[in-house]
Amino acid sequence: MSYIQFLGAAGVVTGSKHLINTGDESGKSGIQVLVDCGLFQGQKEWRERNWADLPVPAREIDALIITHAHLDHSGWIPRLVKQGFAGPIYATPATIDLCSILLPDSGHLQEEDAAFANKQKYSKHTPALPLYTMQEAQQCLTLFRPVPFGQVKRLNDQLSFRFVRAAHILGSAFAEVTLTNNGTTAHLLFTGDIGRVRDDCPGEVVHCGPTEGEACDVLVMESTYGNRVHPRDDPKPELAGLIRATVQRGGSVVVPAFAVERTAKFLFMLKELMESGEIPRVPVHADSPMGIKAVQIFLKHEEEFNDETKALIAKYGSPLEWPSFHFDTTQDDSKKINELKYPSIIVSSSGMVTGGRVLHHLVHRLPDPRNLVLFIGFQAPGTRGFTIKSGAPEVKMLGQIVPIRAQVAALEQFSDHADTPELLQWLHTFKRAPKQTFLVHGEPDAASQLRDDMVNDLHWNVQVAAYKQKVQVL
Ligand SMILES: [Zn+2]
């Protein structure tokens, strides 16, 4: 019997981990492959799962297939390696480039958080330990093996797979997995995260439109926005208005943003608004230790861009050379931003305010009503970003209670995830109905709403996946 077991992102948007076990005739375990190996983020109940072992010993997992570089899909890799996993990690070349900066940075942030917790003595655990260190994350990079889009990779007689475009972020892929046993075959499709379907999605840089015309027996699909419709209007006028108003009242703008790709996309938008005179030329700080590397990776993978992004790059070149755009790589650079008395725009990670330098900027600027905190990405429930965005009067950060007096705004147009109408539109391109569909990577409301919509619209057999649920697929 071959089965899939959901070891994360079941009933929640983070911690994606789906185990495939091919079994064999003697009843012994066959090849075991984990599709995605993400960190749980957000609510404590989930974050604590990062410390639990998998039901399968790490050394018995033969390989990893990673759909894309976001930490909720890749950030648990160093932990798995620390526990004894030593197999190959398959990903697209751009995903490997992104992981090579994201994973060590994640290790660094965890070391920083643990050190800070020990210094402030606010952790319940003494001493607070990092889940993994920067060095441990660095070491696991040697296990990565590039698999270009469209190339079939055979792991053994029973399992092969290929990546096709998911159009979510740079390098993002669906994994089409083929299982064969005793002459029978099953096609599984793991979507990872699904990008915007339509061509009119503002802020989208990668190829618009995930791969269409899929045909599979088992579909494991994300449902982040299973109960949402994104606004379709151009975010630039609203963005310009918010920045102008903030600068006029002498405030600064803090934008929590995912350091890779999202920050670069946002910088291009700011540059365009400055060049056209729609916003004043105030200093822009991309405050991220990996800011420069992230921009370089972004520019290196031009083959992934849509025409609008190619045109922007041709027009403005590298953000690293723009006057008054600063890439702050050291902690001293970062601290100097806190001393700035004149208005500026600070783009800093992490995007959901779960860690990183954006914490210091927010501690400093949230109490002042002249400032603006602008969200341009998804905020998972339980994260500080979610708390701030939902209008809370205060938030706990770095061991202190910080009053929220700054203006808080969010632009939803930047989403890299398809919304419900886009997901249904994409599903309609399938050549046949999957025998079984499992929804993962969604809050319970979003996943169950999407299940109902799919059943009504497509009449498919759809379930919301449960944590540790095992599903026979062959
Ligand atoms: Zn993602």
Side-chain angles (χ1 to χ4, degrees):
M1 147 180 161
S2 298
Y3 64 85
I4 302 174
Q5 188 177 19
F6 304 108
L7 300 178
V12 67
V13 288
T14 63
S16 273
K17 288 178 208 80
H18 314 303
L19 183 75
I20 304 171
N21 184 322
T22 63
D24 68 13
E25 283 165 346
S26 64
K28 222 170 53 188
S29 284
I31 189 171
Q32 297 199 91
V33 175
L34 200 56
V35 179
D36 282 341
C37 189
L39 267 186
F40 285 106
Q41 295 163 314
Q43 268 149 2
K44 202 168 174 194
E45 173 203 347
W46 294 106
R47 275 184 286 128
E48 280 175 354
R49 288 203 183 158
N50 287 325
W51 293 91
D53 293 340
L54 295 185
V56 187
R59 64 181 60 80
E60 289 179 16
I61 295 172
D62 299 286
L64 295 187
I65 297 172
I66 302 297
T67 60
H68 66 288
H70 278 154
L71 287 178
D72 56 336
H73 294 258
S74 74
W76 211 70
I77 294 172
R79 185 75 187 172
L80 192 74
V81 172
K82 195 171 174 169
Q83 291 178 333
F85 171 78
I89 305 171
Y90 299 108
T92 64
T95 295
I96 295 177
D97 279 349
L98 295 179
C99 282
S100 73
I101 60 172
L102 279 171
L103 296 181
D105 183 65
S106 170
H108 174 68
L109 290 181
Q110 294 187 49
E111 285 184 78
E112 264 187 1
D113 283 354
F116 198 84
N118 287 329
K119 202 166 132 198
Q120 304 286 315
K121 300 193 179 10
Y122 69 74
S123 170
K124 279 187 218 121
H125 310 278
T126 7
L129 294 172
L131 198 58
Y132 51 84
T133 64
M134 181 162 95
Q135 198 188 3
E136 285 163 343
Q138 198 81 46
Q139 281 161 358
C140 76
L141 299 175
T142 56
L143 298 174
F144 276 88
R145 304 283 177 270
V147 179
F149 283 107
Q151 188 181 96
V152 176
K153 182 81 195 167
R154 237 170 83 97
L155 301 196
N156 71 355
D157 289 349
Q158 296 173 317
L159 192 150
S160 63
F161 77 94
R162 67 170 189 162
F163 288 127
V164 296
R165 287 195 188 281
H168 167 60
I169 61 162
L170 279 181
S172 68
F174 298 156
E176 296 177 348
V177 178
T178 303
L179 300 183
T180 312
N181 206 351
N182 286 333
T184 359
T185 298
H187 297 282
L188 320 179
L189 179 66
F190 294 86
T191 65
D193 289 348
I194 304 170
R196 307 300 298 271
V197 170
R198 294 169 196 181
D199 274 325
D200 59 358
C201 304
E204 189 58 68
V205 287
V206 291
H207 284 284
C208 247
T211 304
E212 298 189 338
E214 289 287 352
C216 60
D217 302 298
V218 181
L219 170 63
V220 178
M221 174 180 167
E222 71 126 327
S223 55
T224 316
Y225 286 114
N227 57 355
R228 288 279 287 279
V229 180
H230 297 315
R232 303 268 174 240
D233 52 323
D234 182 357
K236 287 202 276 301
E238 195 182 344
L239 173 63
L242 286 164
I243 293 174
R244 277 197 311 268
T246 307
V247 172
Q248 260 162 27
R249 62 179 182 248
S252 286
V253 183
V254 182
V255 185
F258 179 52
V260 173
E261 186 183 303
R262 182 61 62 96
T263 293
K265 278 154 78 166
F266 190 71
L267 294 181
F268 272 98
M269 196 169 275
L270 290 178
K271 175 78 173 164
E272 237 192 338
L273 292 172
M274 274 183 199
E275 293 299 329
S276 62
E278 285 169 80
I279 58 172
R281 288 182 189 273
V282 293
V284 176
H285 291 269
D287 183 27
S288 153
M290 54 182 179
I292 292 171
K293 279 192 217 158
V295 167
Q296 285 164 343
I297 289 177
F298 178 80
L299 295 174
K300 177 178 156 190
H301 290 282
E302 206 176 323
E303 78 282 359
E304 298 240 340
F305 296 154
N306 62 20
D307 291 342
E308 193 191 336
T309 308
K310 279 183 193 156
L312 277 176
I313 292 169
K315 198 163 159 192
Y316 297 124
S318 168
L320 300 174
E321 284 152 22
W322 299 341
S324 84
F325 280 67
H326 308 278
F327 288 82
D328 305 291
T329 53
T330 69
Q331 283 208 335
D332 277 351
D333 291 339
S334 180
K335 281 180 190 146
K336 275 184 200 139
I337 303 174
N338 285 344
E339 290 155 19
L340 296 178
K341 292 287 174 271
Y342 47 89
S344 57
I345 300 171
I346 302 155
V347 188
S348 185
S349 55
S350 73
M352 294 195 281
V353 199
T354 49
R357 290 185 182 170
V358 75
L359 295 183
H360 296 275
H361 297 304
L362 289 173
V363 165
H364 207 72
R365 295 177 199 268
L366 270 174
D368 186 338
R370 291 175 302 171
N371 296 327
L372 166 71
V373 178
L374 178 63
F375 290 100
I376 56 170
F378 181 76
Q379 304 302 312
T383 58
R384 292 190 193 89
F386 184 88
T387 305
I388 299 168
K389 191 181 158 186
S390 55
E394 57 189 31
V395 62
K396 197 173 172 200
M397 252 189 270
L398 302 176
Q400 51 185 297
I401 303 288
V402 181
I404 303 175
R405 298 193 199 98
Q407 183 188 0
V408 177
L411 293 172
E412 309 288 350
Q413 289 95 327
F414 290 91
S415 179
D416 292 319
H417 289 264
D419 64 7
T420 311
E422 291 171 70
L423 289 173
L424 291 171
Q425 185 187 335
W426 172 68
L427 291 167
H428 271 285
T429 72
F430 273 49
K431 291 193 185 111
R432 57 185 165 90
K435 289 179 198 133
Q436 307 181 77
T437 294
F438 296 92
L439 298 180
V440 294
H441 203 282
E443 294 301 318
D445 287 353
S448 56
Q449 182 65 53
L450 183 63
R451 177 199 57 207
D452 294 350
D453 286 352
M454 286 173 70
V455 170
N456 289 334
D457 190 26
L458 298 147
H459 309 291
W460 289 6
N461 173 19
V462 186
Q463 291 179 45
V464 177
Y467 184 51
K468 292 195 178 172
Q469 180 186 4
K470 273 189 190 178
V471 177
Q472 186 176 352
V473 291
L474 197 65

Short mmCIF file of all heavy atoms in Angstrom, two decimals, residues 418-441:
data_model
loop_
_atom_site.label_atom_id
_atom_site.label_comp_id
_atom_site.label_asym_id
_atom_site.label_seq_id
_atom_site.Cartn_x
_atom_site.Cartn_y
_atom_site.Cartn_z
N ALA A 418 -3.39 32.76 -5.36
CA ALA A 418 -4.67 32.87 -6.03
C ALA A 418 -5.78 33.00 -5.00
O ALA A 418 -5.72 32.37 -3.95
CB ALA A 418 -4.90 31.64 -6.90
N ASP A 419 -6.81 33.80 -5.32
CA ASP A 419 -7.98 33.85 -4.43
C ASP A 419 -9.00 32.81 -4.89
O ASP A 419 -8.74 32.04 -5.83
CB ASP A 419 -8.56 35.27 -4.37
CG ASP A 419 -9.09 35.75 -5.72
OD1 ASP A 419 -9.14 34.93 -6.67
OD2 ASP A 419 -9.48 36.93 -5.82
N THR A 420 -10.17 32.78 -4.24
CA THR A 420 -11.12 31.70 -4.53
C THR A 420 -11.57 31.66 -5.99
O THR A 420 -11.49 30.60 -6.62
CB THR A 420 -12.34 31.79 -3.59
OG1 THR A 420 -11.84 31.94 -2.26
CG2 THR A 420 -13.19 30.56 -3.66
N PRO A 421 -12.01 32.79 -6.58
CA PRO A 421 -12.42 32.69 -8.00
C PRO A 421 -11.27 32.23 -8.90
O PRO A 421 -11.49 31.48 -9.85
CB PRO A 421 -12.83 34.13 -8.34
CG PRO A 421 -13.13 34.79 -7.04
CD PRO A 421 -12.28 34.13 -6.01
N GLU A 422 -10.04 32.67 -8.58
CA GLU A 422 -8.90 32.25 -9.40
C GLU A 422 -8.62 30.75 -9.24
O GLU A 422 -8.31 30.06 -10.21
CB GLU A 422 -7.66 33.05 -9.02
CG GLU A 422 -7.74 34.52 -9.40
CD GLU A 422 -6.59 35.30 -8.80
OE1 GLU A 422 -5.46 35.11 -9.24
OE2 GLU A 422 -6.83 36.08 -7.86
N LEU A 423 -8.74 30.25 -7.99
CA LEU A 423 -8.52 28.82 -7.76
C LEU A 423 -9.53 27.99 -8.55
O LEU A 423 -9.18 27.01 -9.21
CB LEU A 423 -8.62 28.48 -6.26
CG LEU A 423 -7.48 29.00 -5.38
CD1 LEU A 423 -7.81 28.76 -3.90
CD2 LEU A 423 -6.15 28.33 -5.74
N LEU A 424 -10.79 28.42 -8.50
CA LEU A 424 -11.83 27.66 -9.21
C LEU A 424 -11.59 27.73 -10.72
O LEU A 424 -11.73 26.73 -11.43
CB LEU A 424 -13.23 28.20 -8.85
CG LEU A 424 -13.65 27.91 -7.40
CD1 LEU A 424 -14.95 28.66 -7.05
CD2 LEU A 424 -13.83 26.41 -7.14
N GLN A 425 -11.19 28.92 -11.18
CA GLN A 425 -10.88 29.07 -12.61
C GLN A 425 -9.76 28.10 -13.02
O GLN A 425 -9.84 27.44 -14.05
CB GLN A 425 -10.44 30.53 -12.85
CG GLN A 425 -10.22 30.88 -14.30
CD GLN A 425 -9.62 32.30 -14.43
OE1 GLN A 425 -9.80 33.14 -13.55
NE2 GLN A 425 -8.91 32.55 -15.51
N TRP A 426 -8.75 28.00 -12.17
CA TRP A 426 -7.63 27.09 -12.46
C TRP A 426 -8.10 25.63 -12.43
O TRP A 426 -7.77 24.84 -13.31
CB TRP A 426 -6.50 27.32 -11.45
CG TRP A 426 -5.39 26.33 -11.54
CD1 TRP A 426 -4.51 26.20 -12.59
CD2 TRP A 426 -5.05 25.32 -10.59
NE1 TRP A 426 -3.63 25.16 -12.33
CE2 TRP A 426 -3.95 24.60 -11.11
CE3 TRP A 426 -5.56 24.94 -9.35
CZ2 TRP A 426 -3.36 23.54 -10.43
CZ3 TRP A 426 -4.97 23.88 -8.67
CH2 TRP A 426 -3.88 23.19 -9.21
N LEU A 427 -8.92 25.28 -11.45
CA LEU A 427 -9.39 23.89 -11.33
C LEU A 427 -10.23 23.48 -12.54
O LEU A 427 -10.21 22.32 -12.96
CB LEU A 427 -10.19 23.72 -10.04
CG LEU A 427 -9.36 23.81 -8.75
CD1 LEU A 427 -10.27 23.95 -7.54
CD2 LEU A 427 -8.45 22.59 -8.59
N HIS A 428 -10.92 24.46 -13.13
CA HIS A 428 -11.73 24.15 -14.32
C HIS A 428 -10.87 23.76 -15.52
O HIS A 428 -11.38 23.22 -16.48
CB HIS A 428 -12.63 25.35 -14.66
CG HIS A 428 -13.95 25.31 -13.96
ND1 HIS A 428 -14.97 24.45 -14.32
CD2 HIS A 428 -14.42 26.00 -12.88
CE1 HIS A 428 -16.00 24.62 -13.51
NE2 HIS A 428 -15.69 25.55 -12.62
N THR A 429 -9.57 24.06 -15.47
CA THR A 429 -8.71 23.68 -16.60
C THR A 429 -8.27 22.22 -16.50
O THR A 429 -7.65 21.70 -17.42
CB THR A 429 -7.43 24.56 -16.69
OG1 THR A 429 -6.53 24.21 -15.62
CG2 THR A 429 -7.76 26.05 -16.64
N PHE A 430 -8.55 21.53 -15.38
CA PHE A 430 -8.12 20.14 -15.23
C PHE A 430 -8.74 19.27 -16.33
O PHE A 430 -9.89 19.46 -16.70
CB PHE A 430 -8.54 19.59 -13.85
CG PHE A 430 -7.54 19.86 -12.76
CD1 PHE A 430 -7.02 21.13 -12.58
CD2 PHE A 430 -7.10 18.84 -11.92
CE1 PHE A 430 -6.11 21.40 -11.57
CE2 PHE A 430 -6.18 19.09 -10.91
CZ PHE A 430 -5.68 20.37 -10.74
N LYS A 431 -7.95 18.30 -16.82
CA LYS A 431 -8.47 17.41 -17.88
C LYS A 431 -9.49 16.42 -17.33
O LYS A 431 -10.34 15.94 -18.04
CB LYS A 431 -7.30 16.65 -18.51
CG LYS A 431 -6.38 17.56 -19.31
CD LYS A 431 -5.45 16.73 -20.18
CE LYS A 431 -4.44 17.61 -20.89
NZ LYS A 431 -3.08 17.41 -20.38
N ARG A 432 -9.35 16.06 -16.06
CA ARG A 432 -10.34 15.17 -15.44
C ARG A 432 -10.39 15.46 -13.94
O ARG A 432 -9.46 16.06 -13.39
CB ARG A 432 -10.00 13.70 -15.69
CG ARG A 432 -8.62 13.28 -15.21
CD ARG A 432 -8.32 11.84 -15.61
NE ARG A 432 -6.92 11.50 -15.49
CZ ARG A 432 -6.34 11.01 -14.41
NH1 ARG A 432 -7.04 10.82 -13.31
NH2 ARG A 432 -5.05 10.73 -14.40
N ALA A 433 -11.47 14.99 -13.32
CA ALA A 433 -11.60 15.22 -11.87
C ALA A 433 -10.68 14.26 -11.13
O ALA A 433 -10.66 13.06 -11.43
CB ALA A 433 -13.04 14.97 -11.46
N PRO A 434 -9.90 14.76 -10.17
CA PRO A 434 -9.11 13.83 -9.34
C PRO A 434 -10.06 12.92 -8.55
O PRO A 434 -11.17 13.33 -8.22
CB PRO A 434 -8.37 14.78 -8.38
CG PRO A 434 -8.46 16.14 -8.98
CD PRO A 434 -9.72 16.17 -9.79
N LYS A 435 -9.60 11.69 -8.26
CA LYS A 435 -10.47 10.79 -7.47
C LYS A 435 -10.62 11.34 -6.06
O LYS A 435 -11.66 11.21 -5.42
CB LYS A 435 -9.84 9.39 -7.40
CG LYS A 435 -9.92 8.68 -8.74
CD LYS A 435 -9.27 7.29 -8.64
CE LYS A 435 -8.96 6.78 -10.03
NZ LYS A 435 -7.60 6.23 -10.15
N GLN A 436 -9.53 11.90 -5.55
CA GLN A 436 -9.58 12.47 -4.19
C GLN A 436 -8.84 13.81 -4.19
O GLN A 436 -7.78 13.92 -4.80
CB GLN A 436 -8.84 11.57 -3.19
CG GLN A 436 -9.27 10.13 -3.16
CD GLN A 436 -8.48 9.36 -2.10
OE1 GLN A 436 -8.75 9.46 -0.92
NE2 GLN A 436 -7.49 8.61 -2.53
N THR A 437 -9.39 14.77 -3.47
CA THR A 437 -8.69 16.05 -3.29
C THR A 437 -8.59 16.33 -1.79
O THR A 437 -9.58 16.16 -1.06
CB THR A 437 -9.46 17.20 -3.97
OG1 THR A 437 -9.43 16.98 -5.38
CG2 THR A 437 -8.83 18.55 -3.68
N PHE A 438 -7.41 16.72 -1.34
CA PHE A 438 -7.21 17.07 0.07
C PHE A 438 -6.75 18.52 0.14
O PHE A 438 -5.78 18.90 -0.51
CB PHE A 438 -6.17 16.15 0.71
CG PHE A 438 -6.65 14.73 0.74
CD1 PHE A 438 -6.35 13.87 -0.30
CD2 PHE A 438 -7.45 14.28 1.79
CE1 PHE A 438 -6.83 12.57 -0.30
CE2 PHE A 438 -7.94 12.99 1.80
CZ PHE A 438 -7.63 12.12 0.75
N LEU A 439 -7.46 19.30 0.93
CA LEU A 439 -7.10 20.71 1.07
C LEU A 439 -6.19 20.87 2.28
O LEU A 439 -6.50 20.40 3.37
CB LEU A 439 -8.35 21.57 1.22
CG LEU A 439 -9.28 21.53 0.01
CD1 LEU A 439 -10.49 22.42 0.25
CD2 LEU A 439 -8.56 21.96 -1.27
N VAL A 440 -5.07 21.53 2.04
CA VAL A 440 -4.11 21.80 3.11
C VAL A 440 -3.81 23.29 3.09
O VAL A 440 -4.35 24.04 2.28
CB VAL A 440 -2.79 21.00 2.88
CG1 VAL A 440 -3.04 19.51 3.01
CG2 VAL A 440 -2.16 21.33 1.53
N HIS A 441 -2.93 23.74 4.02
CA HIS A 441 -2.40 25.10 3.98
C HIS A 441 -3.50 26.15 3.95
O HIS A 441 -3.53 27.04 3.12
CB HIS A 441 -1.50 25.24 2.73
CG HIS A 441 -0.49 26.35 2.82
ND1 HIS A 441 -0.82 27.67 2.64
CD2 HIS A 441 0.83 26.33 3.04
CE1 HIS A 441 0.27 28.41 2.75
NE2 HIS A 441 1.28 27.62 3.00
#
